[in-house]
Amino acid sequence: SNLAKHSNDTFSIEIDLPGVKKEDIELKVEDDYLTVSAVRRFKNEVKEEDYYLCESNFGVISRSFVLSDNIDRDKIKAKFEDGRLYLTLEKIESKKTKNISIK
């Protein structure tokens, strides 16, 4: 996973989840952790003349990220596209960088 800083106020996290469907991804915020859980389902079919084998298998992927106090828990955005999950985190309004003009 990559953590990229866009500006002073937003961060993005990209997580590769190949072979995962959008409905098999769960995102939750608990205390200071953002947890991403996903289920990857494999299906392996082997057809031979004398036997047929179908294995269904699944693997659980789980990642947790620590959220600092200045991240707005209500403004976490998630987008899933082409096997990749994009998360955008924003700082709380009051903790964003402000320039003070001098009079």
Side-chain angles (χ1 to χ4, degrees), residues 47-58:
K47 288 190 177 96
E48 295 288 339
E49 276 180 28
D50 51 355
Y51 75 98
Y52 168 76
L53 174 71
C54 176
E55 292 179 312
S56 278
N57 207 326
F58 69 96

Side-chain angles (χ1 to χ4, degrees), residues 16-65:
D16 281 316
L17 297 171
V20 171
K21 291 194 179 96
K22 188 167 136 183
E23 55 270 24
D24 291 331
I25 301 171
E26 185 185 56
L27 281 174
K28 63 178 181 212
V29 175
E30 265 180 311
D31 302 323
D32 293 333
Y33 292 93
L34 169 65
T35 303
V36 178
S37 312
V39 178
R40 184 188 298 164
R41 302 174 196 281
F42 303 97
K43 203 167 184 187
N44 185 20
E45 288 187 79
V46 182
K47 288 190 177 96
E48 295 288 339
E49 276 180 28
D50 51 355
Y51 75 98
Y52 168 76
L53 174 71
C54 176
E55 292 179 312
S56 278
N57 207 326
F58 69 96
V60 177
I61 303 156
S62 183
R63 299 248 175 92
S64 290
F65 300 91

Side-chain angles (χ1 to χ4, degrees), residues 81-97:
E81 214 172 61
D82 301 327
R84 196 165 242 223
L85 182 66
Y86 299 89
L87 301 173
T88 309
L89 314 178
E90 270 186 55
K91 278 193 188 174
I92 295 169
E93 285 291 331
S94 64
K95 302 203 178 177
K96 286 184 177 179
T97 308

